[in-house]
């Protein structure tokens, strides 16, 4: 029994440690720019923040200026430091683990804090995956901005990339990832994401987030509030709102018109945003008053004067969420009206509201199978290249040594991989077989060992395979030899001393998918081989000609020495005098 309890407490301790390190399941809280291995618990949220070192290979840890920190004593700990990226155009975080086909809230925060002493906040681009993220960046040294999106994960990792556009060095303060219930915010899908515009409650003051909000959404007070507040201290059933679960501290306060005969409305301006943007609104309701038998609350919702939903009535102390399916666009200001029905004795109420910008995802990320494969290959061979973000897109940031097939109808796939002279060791990894669209594979000039694997024969699109200058052993698979012989595969496998048949050389250079220097290097190799051959051939022709002339003269001298007539005749019938002083024909 003692042993059982010991094991129980050991497992419990491990689980507790895991929760302390990782926080809420599906949550990832990263403080950018703190030392590797450092973790701490935030005083407000009680969530554990961790260093960003294991999520990115580049950048420099920095701290905001002492002057900024001293003038703002309420600066949260995670904004006191940052990571900057003075080197390279694109630098990317790879956030893992991620549940593929799940919805996430992703928040990135930026505080410049005059960390570089230039007093000039930079402007740069931020990408999530392969699509531009329209972030707001501080315009002064003492402010910070949170930027938040809700999106649908199509891979088991998320990349966040900062791109230098020539207006200062990119930097970042925090990254926060929150797993959501997959049944909510369904407008976030493979073709679009939701970018937060505002999220408000109607309490007099105070910011609300985790642990009050199970998803760590941050709720801000509405601001100037012309309506009447109503509230309750009774518990509210938050489970009836289809999974949105707005926090109790948000839902136990609502606003209503001051007179029961009135309707009410609110609006949000969009004049400072792109007119082509579309919006989606989520409204949260709960009846906070126990109505008498002669009281009834029912209303309709109109947006920009157009009926949107209703008639709508509420259940006492039970949360409900209404969202508008049709997106809003084109206007400088949108107006949401709540109008009581003719049978209602009480005015409408509203507890909280969220507004999002719908952002189309114009680019499709690289095929997830290829992404998984190339990421695993990078790990397997410990490849030290600036392989960050999506391998194929944007096209201007195509990974070194790769080429991709990009069409609008399908996700990009990797068709060329050049790992020559990359210090690869060990056997040719079966991970390469997962790149099923490969046409070119070059792993020459490494220290690969073991046999030429049969899985290479399964890459039916392969047109060029260079395994030369390694330490491979055994024999060449029959299928590869046959494809090399019939010209469908250009195979290089020379300079593998212990490989039988290693004299095979490329046979068809016209079928190679030119890319990333691979074909250029190949043509240079051909030139280096052909040029010396031609030179040697010319030298051989010259030498033959010289030897023939010398032999011809020797025959001439022999004929002169044996002649008694004073002349000798050559093979063409021309006569020469026996006088050795002249060999001109007569």
């Amino acid at each position: 029994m003692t042993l059982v309890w010991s094991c129980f407490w050991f497992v419990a301790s491990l689980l507790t440690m895991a929760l302390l390190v990782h926080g809420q399941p599906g949550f990832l809280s990263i403080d950018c720019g703190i030392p590797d291995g450092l973790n701490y618990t935030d005083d407000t949220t009680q969530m554990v923040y961790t260093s960003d070192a294991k999520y990115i290979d580049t950048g420099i840890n920095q701290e905001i200026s002492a002057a900024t920190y001293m003038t703002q004593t309420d600066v949260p700990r995670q904004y006191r430091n940052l990571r900057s990226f003075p080197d390279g155009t694109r630098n990317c975080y790879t956030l893992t683990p991620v549940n593929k086909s799940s919805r996430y809230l992703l928040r990135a925060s930026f505080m410049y804090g005059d960390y570089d002493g230039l007093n000039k906040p930079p402007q740069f681009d931020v990408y999530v995956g392969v699509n531009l993220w329209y972030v707001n960046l501080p315009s002064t040294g003492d402010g910070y901005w949170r930027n938040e999106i809700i999106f649908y994960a199509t891979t088991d990792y998320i990349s966040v990339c900062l791109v230098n556009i020539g207006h200062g060095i990119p930097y970042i303060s925090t990254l926060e990832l929150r797993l959501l219930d997959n049944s909510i915010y369904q407008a976030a899908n493979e073709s679009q994401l939701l970018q937060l515009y505002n999220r408000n409650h109607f309490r007099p003051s105070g910011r609300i987030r985790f642990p009050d909000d199970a998803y760590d959404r941050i709720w801000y007070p509405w601001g100037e509030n012309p309506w009447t507040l109503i509230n309750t201290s009774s518990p509210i059933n938050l489970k009836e709102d289809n999974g949105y679960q707005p926090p109790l501290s948000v839902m136990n306060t609502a606003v209503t018109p001051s007179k029961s005969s009135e309707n009410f409305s609110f609006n949000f301006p969009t004049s400072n945003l792109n007119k082509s943007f579309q919006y989606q609104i989520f409204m949260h309701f709960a009846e906070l008053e126990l109505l008498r038998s002669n009281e009834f609350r029912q209303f309709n919702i109109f947006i920009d004067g157009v009926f949107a939903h209703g008639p709508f009535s509420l259940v006492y102390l039970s949360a409900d969420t209404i969202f508008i399916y049709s997106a809003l666009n084109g206007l400088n200001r949108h107006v949401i009206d709540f109008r009581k029905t003719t049978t209602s004795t009480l005015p409408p109420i509203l507890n909280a509201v969220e507004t999002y910008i719908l952002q189309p995802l114009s680019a499709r990320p690289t095929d997830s199978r290829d992404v998984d494969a190339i990421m695993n290959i990078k790990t397997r061979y410990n490849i030290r290249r600036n392989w960050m973000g999506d391998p194929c897109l944007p096209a201007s940031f195509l990974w070194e040594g790769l080429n991709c097939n990009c069409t609008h109808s399908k996700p990009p796939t990797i068709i060329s991989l050049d790992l020559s002279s990359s210090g690869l060791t060990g056997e040719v990894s079966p991970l390469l077989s997962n790149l099923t669209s490969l046409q070119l594979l070059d792993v020459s000039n490494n220290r690969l060992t073991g046999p030429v694997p049969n899985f290479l024969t399964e890459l039916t699109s392969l047109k060029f395979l260079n395994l030369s200058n390694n330490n491979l052993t055994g024999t060449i698979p029959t299928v590869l030899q046959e494809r090399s012989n019939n010209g469908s595969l250009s195979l290089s496998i020379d300079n593998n001393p212990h490989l039988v048949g290693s004299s095979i050389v490329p046979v068809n250079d016209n079928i190679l998918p030119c890319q990333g220097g691979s074909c250029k290097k190949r043509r240079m190799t051909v030139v280096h081989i052909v040029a010396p051959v031609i030179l040697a051939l010319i030298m051989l022709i010259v030498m033959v000609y010289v030897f023939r002339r010398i032999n011809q003269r020797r025959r001439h001298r022999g004929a002169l020495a044996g002649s008694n007539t004073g002349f000798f005749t050559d093979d063409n019938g021309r006569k020469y005098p026996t006088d050795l002083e002249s060999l001109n024909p007569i």
Side-chain angles (χ1 to χ4, degrees):
M1 182 65 69
T2 302
L3 179 60
V4 172
W5 277 107
S6 298
C7 292
F8 170 80
W9 286 115
F10 177 71
V11 172
S13 299
L14 290 179
L15 291 174
T16 303
M17 291 176 62
L19 287 174
L20 286 175
V21 173
H22 298 289
Q24 284 289 104
F27 280 24
L28 181 61
S29 304
I30 300 174
D31 187 340
C32 304
I34 63 175
D36 186 11
L38 177 61
N39 301 308
Y40 65 86
T41 301
D42 181 73
D43 294 336
T44 302
T45 64
Q46 297 303 305
M47 283 192 290
V48 176
Y49 280 78
T50 186
S51 168
D52 63 345
K54 68 178 181 179
Y55 302 103
I56 195 165
D57 297 326
T58 57
I60 300 173
N61 291 354
Q62 304 277 9
E63 294 183 356
I64 64 174
S65 71
T68 301
Y69 179 72
M70 292 300 294
T71 57
Q72 296 191 37
T73 56
D74 60 342
V75 174
R77 179 171 177 177
Q78 53 265 38
Y79 296 108
R80 300 173 191 175
N81 39 259
L82 56 94
R83 183 178 290 262
S84 68
F85 301 93
D87 299 320
T89 303
R90 181 176 75 158
N91 292 272
C92 300
Y93 284 87
T94 301
L95 307 183
T96 57
V98 167
N99 296 341
K100 185 178 177 181
S101 303
S102 297
R103 289 181 177 85
Y104 282 87
L105 181 154
L106 174 63
R107 189 160 47 232
S109 303
F110 305 86
M111 183 169 186
Y112 170 60
D114 197 26
Y115 80 90
D116 54 7
L118 300 177
N119 195 27
K120 187 178 181 181
Q123 298 295 307
F124 47 90
D125 285 343
V126 180
Y127 283 77
V128 55
V130 297
N131 289 279
L132 184 64
W133 181 356
Y134 297 99
V135 302
N136 288 321
L137 296 169
S139 57
T140 63
D142 57 357
Y144 63 86
W145 287 92
R146 292 188 178 99
N147 295 269
E148 183 180 308
I149 58 174
I150 293 175
F151 72 103
Y152 183 81
T154 58
T155 61
D156 58 3
Y157 78 100
I158 296 167
S159 63
V160 177
C161 302
L162 285 73
V163 177
N164 190 325
I165 58 174
H167 298 293
I169 295 173
Y171 71 95
I172 189 169
S173 301
T174 69
L175 279 169
E176 298 167 313
L177 191 64
R178 311 292 185 239
L179 178 64
L180 302 174
D181 187 310
N182 226 23
S183 65
I184 61 178
Y185 301 109
Q186 293 194 19
N189 52 44
E190 292 182 344
S191 61
Q192 64 185 7
L193 58 78
L194 298 177
Q195 182 160 337
L196 180 66
Y197 181 69
N198 57 32
R199 183 186 293 118
N200 298 110
H201 64 75
F202 294 99
R203 296 169 67 90
S205 62
R207 186 186 65 193
I208 299 171
R209 61 179 300 184
F210 188 87
D212 295 304
D213 189 301
Y215 302 127
D216 192 33
R217 292 164 295 192
I218 302 177
W219 303 79
Y220 294 92
W222 179 264
E224 185 178 350
N225 186 352
W227 307 295
T228 298
L229 288 175
I230 58 176
N231 56 64
T232 182
S233 58
S234 301
I236 297 175
N237 183 358
L238 301 176
K239 300 297 183 181
E240 300 299 324
D241 68 333
N242 301 320
Y244 287 91
Q245 296 187 53
L248 176 61
S249 53
V250 166
M251 296 303 293
N252 62 11
T253 300
V255 291
T256 186
S258 57
K259 296 181 180 180
S260 61
S261 61
E262 293 181 344
N263 299 316
F264 84 105
S265 64
F266 71 88
N267 60 70
F268 63 95
T270 62
S271 58
N272 60 332
L273 298 175
N274 191 317
K275 294 298 184 297
S276 66
F277 285 170
Q278 296 181 311
Y279 305 87
Q280 189 165 48
I281 299 177
F282 297 80
M283 291 162 283
H284 305 282
F285 302 92
E287 178 60 75
L288 304 184
E289 297 180 318
L290 182 59
L291 305 184
R292 293 188 292 266
S293 59
N294 63 342
E295 293 179 320
F296 181 55
R297 193 192 308 274
Q298 188 182 63
F299 53 94
N300 293 311
I301 302 174
F302 291 77
I303 297 183
D304 297 329
V306 178
F307 174 79
H309 185 82
F312 182 52
S313 58
L314 304 172
V315 177
Y316 180 54
L317 298 180
S318 183
D320 201 353
T321 296
I322 300 298
F323 57 91
I324 306 304
Y325 288 94
S326 58
L328 313 172
N329 61 15
L331 300 177
N332 290 334
R333 183 179 296 273
H334 294 292
V335 180
I336 293 83
D337 290 303
F338 302 90
R339 303 177 186 176
K340 59 183 291 188
T341 63
T342 56
T343 59
S344 178
T345 62
L346 295 175
I349 64 171
L350 174 65
N351 300 67
V353 62
E354 300 176 78
T355 306
Y356 293 89
I357 299 170
L358 289 174
Q359 180 184 332
L361 302 177
S362 56
R364 302 183 67 180
T366 300
D367 188 288
S368 60
R369 293 165 296 184
D370 281 22
V371 172
D372 292 341
I374 198 66
M375 288 292 191
N376 289 330
I377 290 167
K378 176 184 178 182
T379 302
R380 164 62 182 83
Y381 288 118
N382 194 28
I383 295 172
R384 296 297 183 183
R385 293 184 181 178
N386 192 11
W387 281 8
M388 297 184 294
D390 190 273
C392 299
L393 295 175
S396 56
F397 298 111
L398 178 71
W399 283 10
E400 177 188 354
L402 266 64
N403 194 27
C404 300
N405 179 25
C406 300
T407 63
H408 294 294
S409 59
K410 296 180 180 180
T413 55
I414 299 172
I415 62 173
S416 175
L417 177 58
D418 184 355
L419 293 175
S420 60
S421 304
S422 297
L424 309 186
T425 59
E427 297 186 348
V428 179
S429 174
L431 294 170
L432 292 165
S433 66
N434 295 327
L435 297 173
T436 56
S437 299
L438 269 187
Q439 299 178 33
L440 180 151
L441 175 60
D442 189 346
V443 291
S444 62
N445 300 300
N446 287 294
R447 299 189 299 277
L448 295 173
T449 57
V452 178
N454 283 319
F455 68 72
L456 292 175
T457 64
E458 300 171 4
L459 297 175
T460 56
S461 299
L462 199 62
K463 298 178 181 180
F464 175 81
L465 176 60
N466 192 349
L467 301 170
S468 60
N469 296 306
N470 281 289
N471 296 308
L472 300 174
T473 58
T475 59
I476 303 166
T478 303
V479 174
L480 293 182
Q481 294 190 57
E482 292 174 351
R483 290 172 60 186
S484 176
N485 292 336
N486 65 29
S488 64
L489 174 67
S490 184
L491 176 63
S492 292
I493 205 161
D494 52 305
N495 294 329
N496 284 275
H498 305 290
L499 180 64
V500 177
S502 62
S503 60
I504 293 179
V505 295
V507 295
N508 189 350
D509 200 40
N510 294 323
I511 63 175
L512 304 184
C514 291
Q515 163 289 320
S518 295
C519 290
K520 179 180 179 181
K521 180 180 68 176
R522 170 116 177 107
R523 288 192 292 267
M524 289 176 61
T525 301
V526 172
V527 170
H528 291 162
I529 294 174
V530 172
V533 171
I534 294 176
L535 181 60
L537 184 60
I538 294 174
M539 292 179 64
L540 180 61
I541 293 172
V542 172
M543 291 175 64
V544 169
Y545 174 77
V546 171
F547 283 135
R548 288 190 62 183
R549 291 292 295 170
I550 292 174
N551 288 335
Q552 189 179 56
R553 292 190 178 215
R554 287 177 178 173
R555 290 203 315 271
H556 291 171
R557 289 190 182 95
L560 288 174
S563 172
N564 294 321
T565 60
F567 296 91
F568 76 92
T569 303
D570 66 10
D571 296 335
N572 296 320
R574 292 179 296 184
K575 292 183 178 181
Y576 290 83
T578 56
D579 180 6
L580 296 179
E581 297 297 324
S582 175
L583 288 179
N584 295 322
I586 297 177

